[in-house]
Amino acid sequence: MDESGFGRTRRTGGNNTLPILQQEVATVQEIQRQFPLFRSLPIYNDEADPLVGWNKPLTWRADVTYAAMVVKVISQHQDLLIGSMNNSVNYTLLSNDNAFLSYYPHQFTQRTLTARFQVNNTRPPYVQFLRKPVLTVMGLLSLLGEQQVQAQVSGGSQVNSSVGVLASVHLPRIPHTADSWQSTVLLYNSRDNLTSNSSDIITLHLTGAPAQAGLMYVTHYMDNTVSNPYELWRQMGSPEYPTVQQFTQLRTQEEAEREGPVPFPAQGDLTLTVKLPVPSILLIHVCARSPLPPGQVSTHISSTP
């Protein structure tokens, strides 16, 4: 237990995702058995990573494979632990230990959020960072709302299927503001650290959206073809010191592929059929029209004598 009164555990997955959750549950249940007074203790895992050793160079850490594994770990915790009727674990926080700076010659393949290039063939030398897919997907995760809603994948269990889903809704807390109703559905196709040439055809049904005018949706999509600066860098010959033009090209692969906004069907139901290769991530973000425009940004500066 740390000084804040939280129970802290460090469990990694040995190249896989589900063992992280399994080890956490086994550890906490043993603590609860031996120390019953700790049953309500908040628990967090601040190193829920698929593999120990941040500096081990592994190809799957460079591309969407790692990004999809991060999403999968979160989805497993939400569905198999936090959302379980039989859950006895006060699970409070899950995070990753990946705030490291990569180094030559493993700019992309270490457990980091960015690829660091120390360009030392110029005067003065300079450093450039490229966003890896794992950092891009964390930006997409920020679009999830505060309340999880029912979602399921038919044709396979959450444990054994490579396809998973996490859905949420955001309800405005303060009326008559620029805030609005939002819903987010996050689909992933992940076989942990494996990359495959196969794909799955997924039919997605979104129901229960408010039947109101002005509803729009946007899709954000990632796979190893559209969001893979590492592969483009390899095709360039893996330059130690990319040129300015090469950095510009590489940044075109940093973002998720976006489509929309597109009007949401007026009746409140939407059906999409998508092809998800392994690995891939698809996020659908639905928003109602805001009743008011965003407020003006204001700055208040105070000085202390």
Side-chain angles (χ1 to χ4, degrees), residues 113-235:
L113 297 171
T114 60
R116 179 176 62 149
F117 287 86
Q118 297 169 286
V119 184
N120 297 325
N121 64 340
T122 62
R123 292 293 179 269
Y126 64 99
V127 176
Q128 287 284 313
F129 292 92
L130 291 172
R131 192 190 332 151
K132 289 167 54 174
V134 64
L135 181 54
T136 299
V137 83
M138 288 186 176
L140 295 184
L141 286 166
S142 70
L143 295 175
L144 288 169
E146 301 82 3
Q147 180 181 342
Q148 185 175 2
V149 295
Q150 183 179 6
Q152 64 181 31
V153 177
S154 59
S157 70
Q158 178 76 10
V159 174
N160 297 319
S161 174
S162 64
V163 178
V165 60
L166 187 60
S168 69
V169 66
H170 165 76
L171 303 176
R173 296 182 179 179
I174 304 175
H176 311 298
T177 66
D179 199 2
S180 66
W181 179 93
Q182 300 175 40
S183 182
T184 303
V185 179
L186 182 58
L187 282 165
Y188 65 85
N189 198 356
S190 168
R191 296 179 186 170
D192 289 350
N193 65 352
L194 301 178
T195 300
S196 171
N197 292 325
S198 64
S199 300
D200 293 288
I201 305 298
I202 306 298
T203 300
L204 177 67
H205 302 285
L206 278 70
T207 61
Q212 64 183 65
L215 233 60
M216 308 288 284
Y217 74 94
V218 174
T219 63
H220 303 264
Y221 175 74
M222 299 176 65
D223 66 18
N224 277 340
T225 300
V226 301
S227 303
N228 193 353
Y230 171 66
E231 179 57 29
L232 180 57
W233 178 68
R234 287 182 65 252
Q235 293 173 8

Side-chain angles (χ1 to χ4, degrees), residues 7-75:
R8 177 185 182 186
T9 180
R10 294 181 177 180
R11 292 293 180 266
T12 55
N15 268 327
N16 296 289
T17 55
L18 190 58
I20 298 173
L21 175 62
Q22 293 171 330
Q23 292 178 75
E24 289 171 348
V25 172
T27 300
V28 174
Q29 287 179 343
E30 179 63 18
I31 293 173
Q32 292 176 345
R33 186 185 67 81
Q34 295 194 35
F35 307 98
L37 293 178
F38 287 173
R39 290 187 64 86
S40 61
L41 188 72
I43 300 296
Y44 69 88
N45 184 352
D46 59 355
E47 294 189 18
D49 301 296
L51 184 66
V52 297
W54 77 269
N55 59 349
K56 293 178 182 177
L58 297 164
T59 301
W60 60 263
R61 285 176 162 171
D63 57 28
V64 176
T65 310
Y66 181 28
M69 292 175 77
V70 168
V71 174
K72 188 175 183 179
V73 169
I74 294 172
S75 181

